[in-house]
Amino acid sequence: MDRRKFLVQMAQAFGASIVGGTVLTGFVKENQDKPLALRPPGALNESDFIKTCIRCGLCVEACKNRKNPYVESGQKVITLKLGAPGDKVPVGTPYFVARTGPCFMCDDIPCMNACPSGALTPEKCKNSKGEVAIDYARMGIAVIDPNTCIAFWGLQCAACYRACPEIDKAITIEWKENKRTGKHAYRIPVVHGNYCTGCGMCEKACVTEKPAIKVLPREVAMGKVSDRYVKGWSKKDQERVKKASTTTTTKTKRSELNPIKNLNRGVKWDE
Amino acid sequence: MSNLIKNNRYLILRRVIQIVILFLFFAANKWGWNILVGSLSTSKMFDTIPLSDPYAVIQMFFAGAVISSDLILGFLIVVAFYGLIAGRAFCSWVCPVNMITDLAGWLRRKLKIDEYGKRQLLLPHQFKYWFALVILIVSAITGTAAFEYINPVGILTRGVIFSMGFGWTWIVAIFLFDLFVMKNGWCSYVCPLGATYSIIGSKSVVKVLHNKDKCTACGNCFKVCPEVHVLENVINKKSGFITGIECRNCGRCIEVCYDEALKFNLKNFVKGVEK
């Protein structure tokens, strides 16, 4: 084969592969970002997770074939599923749907321990002392819609509270006066993010037609406080801002004067 | 009947192996068997030996993932097996998509598409290597193993083991692509996984040996070979091994050769023939 033919064919093959590559880039970008996927316990944060998960399904099988599967009307309730094309997760990655198959929080965390790639890791299932337990998993966080939660109407419910494996820690019930009747109480469920594992038991138990309490990935549901705000009454929170990176201060016309002078501006003094 | 079996012995064996592997994966999920658990991207054999898809691991590396020791070990085992022994055998003995594309190829021959049909879409064979390379770059750009989003091997295996979803569209697309658009299109020209295994298996020991003295140039092997170009420089030209790295060691040429001019042999252990 002469050199020109060789080079032209190579350029052609390379060019054609770029066509494939650009289309694929668009396709992957479109499909890699599915922020509503609930991941198994111990999952890395989403962007690292889709990097590291090799899509083998070992976690799904460990979940399905766990020692004490939960059986509901004769059917094993399976938590983890592997994303197929058309599911709302990147294809081949594990996820669960809290309403139909919440995480049962097995003590031995079989899914996490089955992971060969490190996409599920005990590092993400630890408390501050370094102890690994399913209670320290942070798969998501429960979020309540006060419009449709019947406890906010004044009806007695607390189904989510009673279903919660971290009862009285992740969900508590707060009493409030019902001014409409003047003699009843609202018993309002409140979710506490530092205990909620995101297992989804509350969402499964919720009595409304569409659940009024839902588990969402923490990345989606939670805000983030900058170093500017601090709980002045909490020593622990003050630790947080000790290494504050922000040095900006707000400057307005008022701050040209010191506070006292500013407050006293225009005050007429007795001579 | 016995002739039918003899003339398809490798084909039958390949189908049995492909289906048994799929079945073991399926049984692992369904009934908790632990002979072969996982899927073709990564699996565990007998609860101990890890096996990993080498191309997926390379993509993850390019995407910037931290590769765990299990995956590295699985990668090395697979690369050692195909690199030292089996050649590109993954494509014809393990990969389930091969069953789809072989069916398309067979139907294509029966429908005489290449005789009467429109000239097929042409791509050079080297396309798949470039594509494999470009996908590594795409993995680096997107920060995730990019081919795994469209990998029909993964989608079909996971479809059988776990759930298919809309994965069937990929399978139908590849079947029709091979049948109407391009002869042996997916496996020979496009699949970057096949490109990876071609490179991995290029120096393997098991290869097909040709004996020119017995060859009557009947052309049967050319009709069935899915990578015909690997035969072109050898058949009826010289005695020696089929050394083209794209040979899948499927053994179809051996079965259809009634002159017995082709057989599997171990490359490094046969003396006196060109290697």
Side-chain angles (χ1 to χ4, degrees):
Chain A
M1 206 189 315
D2 66 74
R3 194 165 54 164
R4 171 163 298 183
K5 198 173 167 192
F6 175 77
L7 286 175
V8 167
Q9 283 201 359
M10 197 154 105
Q12 205 182 6
F14 180 59
S17 67
I18 299 269
V19 174
T22 45
V23 173
L24 181 63
T25 308
F27 184 80
V28 170
K29 274 282 161 207
E30 187 82 25
N31 283 279
Q32 72 183 151
D33 196 19
K34 303 282 179 186
L36 294 182
L38 291 175
R39 300 304 189 185
L44 299 171
N45 64 35
E46 186 65 15
S47 67
D48 286 332
F49 183 79
I50 54 166
K51 239 177 229 177
T52 314
C53 173
I54 198 165
R55 298 140 200 257
C56 61
L58 283 168
C59 55
V60 175
E61 298 186 15
C63 174
K64 185 176 177 186
N65 297 313
R66 63 188 179 273
K67 280 175 208 138
N68 304 307
Y70 179 78
V71 178
E72 195 176 72
S73 49
Q75 285 269 313
K76 264 198 218 176
V77 177
I78 299 155
T79 304
L80 287 184
K81 296 175 181 157
L82 210 55
D87 293 350
K88 287 167 183 160
V89 295
V91 61
T93 57
Y95 71 104
F96 68 97
V97 179
R99 182 64 160 171
T100 50
C103 174
F104 293 94
M105 291 176 55
C106 313
D107 284 334
D108 52 348
I109 327 178
C111 50
M112 184 183 81
N113 291 319
C115 180
S117 70
L120 307 178
T121 161
E123 290 303 313
K124 293 278 178 184
C125 215
K126 265 182 184 170
N127 67 359
S128 52
K129 289 177 200 148
E131 297 159 333
V132 177
I134 187 64
D135 307 83
Y136 310 129
R138 294 293 177 262
M139 298 170 268
I141 187 167
V143 175
I144 298 169
D145 171 19
N147 302 295
T148 50
C149 174
I150 57 171
F152 283 77
W153 295 2
L155 301 183
Q156 173 112 322
C157 177
C160 54
Y161 165 78
R162 279 177 276 117
C164 181
E166 306 281 339
I167 187 168
D168 278 327
K169 286 193 269 177
I171 301 182
T172 55
I173 296 289
E174 295 201 354
W175 295 61
K176 269 187 195 159
E177 186 192 354
N178 185 343
K179 289 206 171 116
R180 184 180 61 84
T181 64
K183 45 191 161 183
H184 296 90
Y186 291 113
R187 299 180 66 230
I188 308 281
V190 178
V191 177
H192 302 279
N194 46 349
Y195 289 106
C196 178
T197 63
C199 69
M201 283 301 202
C202 52
E203 184 174 333
K204 183 162 194 305
C206 184
V207 299
T208 51
E209 190 182 319
K210 262 172 82 180
I213 185 166
K214 286 189 180 69
V215 175
L216 294 171
R218 290 185 164 236
E219 196 60 38
V220 174
M222 291 181 83
K224 186 172 183 295
V225 184
S226 71
D227 293 340
R228 289 159 192 256
Y229 304 99
V230 63
K231 295 174 190 166
W233 57 91
S234 160
K235 281 209 168 125
K236 199 181 154 204
D237 203 44
Q238 283 168 11
E239 287 296 317
R240 177 173 63 87
V241 296
K242 268 201 173 145
K243 288 175 192 158
S245 56
T246 53
T247 51
T248 49
T249 44
T250 312
K251 275 231 179 260
T252 65
K253 261 197 169 166
R254 276 185 185 178
S255 46
E256 282 165 13
L257 301 169
N258 72 33
I260 302 284
K261 279 189 177 163
N262 184 45
L263 282 173
N264 293 345
R265 188 164 49 183
V267 175
K268 281 183 184 149
W269 303 96
D270 294 336
E271 294 299 329
Chain B
M1 182 63 197
S2 69
N3 248 353
L4 193 69
I5 292 176
K6 184 169 177 277
N7 294 341
N8 293 292
R9 58 192 184 278
Y10 291 121
L11 182 66
I12 295 166
L13 197 58
R14 276 166 46 211
R15 293 293 176 261
V16 168
I17 289 178
Q18 284 165 329
I19 290 168
V20 163
I21 287 173
L22 270 185
F23 178 75
L24 288 177
F25 278 136
F26 176 81
N29 183 45
K30 187 85 180 167
W31 303 298
W33 294 15
N34 66 356
I35 304 170
L36 194 58
V37 192
S39 69
L40 284 177
S41 70
T42 283
S43 56
K44 275 229 159 95
M45 229 189 218
F46 304 113
D47 255 349
T48 44
I49 309 165
L51 301 169
S52 286
D53 172 354
Y55 189 56
V57 175
I58 298 171
Q59 284 176 79
M60 282 168 62
F61 177 75
F62 271 76
V66 181
I67 314 284
S68 71
S69 54
D70 266 19
L71 294 197
I72 292 172
L73 190 59
F75 173 87
L76 291 176
I77 291 172
V78 170
V79 169
F81 176 70
Y82 292 107
L84 299 175
I85 303 168
R88 198 192 163 185
F90 174 86
C91 297
S92 55
W93 292 78
V94 178
C95 180
V97 173
N98 173 257
M99 294 192 266
I100 313 287
T101 56
D102 271 2
L103 179 65
W106 175 81
L107 206 57
R108 196 180 170 102
R109 283 200 296 279
K110 290 290 159 205
L111 296 175
K112 300 196 190 309
I113 285 179
D114 289 306
E115 279 173 55
Y116 303 117
K118 280 267 188 192
R119 194 184 147 97
Q120 62 167 332
L121 179 74
L122 286 176
L123 266 180
H125 280 97
Q126 51 172 298
F127 174 78
K128 60 177 175 290
Y129 300 104
W130 289 111
F131 194 40
L133 195 69
V134 165
I135 288 174
L136 294 183
I137 298 167
V138 174
S139 298
I141 293 172
T142 54
T144 178
F147 183 58
E148 302 312 307
Y149 285 76
I150 57 164
N151 182 355
V153 184
I155 287 169
L156 176 57
T157 359
R158 284 191 301 262
V160 172
I161 307 166
F162 302 100
S163 66
M164 184 61 89
F166 269 86
W168 60 268
T169 56
W170 290 105
I171 311 308
V172 171
I174 281 177
F175 176 75
L176 296 179
F177 180 70
D178 271 26
L179 180 56
F180 293 120
V181 184
M182 202 168 169
K183 188 182 179 192
N184 302 316
W186 177 260
C187 302
S188 296
Y189 296 87
V190 182
C191 182
L193 201 54
T196 312
Y197 277 111
S198 292
I199 293 167
I200 290 172
S202 57
K203 301 283 177 218
S204 71
V205 168
V206 177
K207 296 271 174 190
V208 177
L209 179 62
H210 176 56
N211 184 346
K212 182 177 173 260
D213 302 334
K214 287 186 178 173
C215 178
T216 56
C218 66
N220 276 353
C221 50
F222 282 90
K223 278 183 206 142
V224 295
C225 180
E227 302 275 1
V228 179
H229 58 288
V230 303
L231 299 177
E232 274 163 5
N233 295 325
V234 182
I235 299 296
N236 204 32
K237 287 187 179 142
K238 62 183 179 194
S239 287
F241 283 96
I242 310 285
T243 50
I245 65 169
E246 277 146 1
C247 173
R248 298 179 203 162
N249 277 351
C250 68
R252 277 301 278 158
C253 56
I254 301 173
E255 298 166 335
V256 299
C257 183
Y258 302 127
D259 306 325
E260 304 202 330
L262 289 160
K263 60 182 176 187
F264 277 127
N265 217 322
L266 304 178
K267 199 171 77 174
N268 302 38
F269 301 93
V270 176
K271 285 176 186 148
V273 291
E274 202 182 319
K275 282 169 188 163

